[in-house]
């Protein structure tokens, strides 16, 4: 059976990660919530936005998460730039 590779659909994507990201001080810096009732409303909203909403869309544009992340990063960067100048 032949395997068909589509040129317009990525097979995989590789992204370099800075070394400090996988340093032990970052990998071991996490919290465990023993009970689901301990999650805050903000935690549940974040879960809904990142897991439920994207997977409930029948047709989801490719790159939707990446575009949203770039917009978020750009708005956070511009807010940092403004606070640094004042």
């Amino acid at each position: 059976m032949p395997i068909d590779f589509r040129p317009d659909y990525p097979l995989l994507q590789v992204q370099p990660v800075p070394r400090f990201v996988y340093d032990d001080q970052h990998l071991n810096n996490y919290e465990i919530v023993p009970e689901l009732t301990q999650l805050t409303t903000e935690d549940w909203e974040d879960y809904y936005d990142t897991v439920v909403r994207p997977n409930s869309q029948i047709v989801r544009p490719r790159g939707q998460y990446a575009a949203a992340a770039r917009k978020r990063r750009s708005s956070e960067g511009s807010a940092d730039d403004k606070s640094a100048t004042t």
Side-chain angles (χ1 to χ4, degrees), residues 18-57:
R19 185 176 297 272
F20 77 88
V21 172
Y22 55 89
D23 192 44
D24 280 341
Q25 72 179 18
H26 292 285
L27 290 178
N28 295 325
N29 185 16
Y30 60 89
E31 295 178 29
I32 296 176
V33 179
E35 298 290 328
L36 287 177
T37 57
Q38 293 175 315
L39 293 174
T40 66
T41 302
E42 184 177 309
D43 293 331
W44 285 112
E45 288 171 357
D46 290 343
Y47 171 79
Y48 184 82
D49 289 341
T50 57
V51 177
V52 177
R53 182 176 289 138
N55 290 302
S56 64
Q57 293 175 325

Side-chain angles (χ1 to χ4, degrees), residues 4-5 15 18 33 42 48 51 65 70 73 83 86:
D4 185 25
F5 294 101
Q15 182 170 348
V33 179
E42 184 177 309
Y48 184 82
V51 177
Y65 177 82
R70 285 191 298 272
R73 193 177 323 122
S83 64
T86 50

Side-chain angles (χ1 to χ4, degrees), residues 57-69:
Q57 293 175 325
I58 295 171
V59 177
R60 185 170 71 182
R62 258 189 248 157
Q64 181 180 31
Y65 177 82

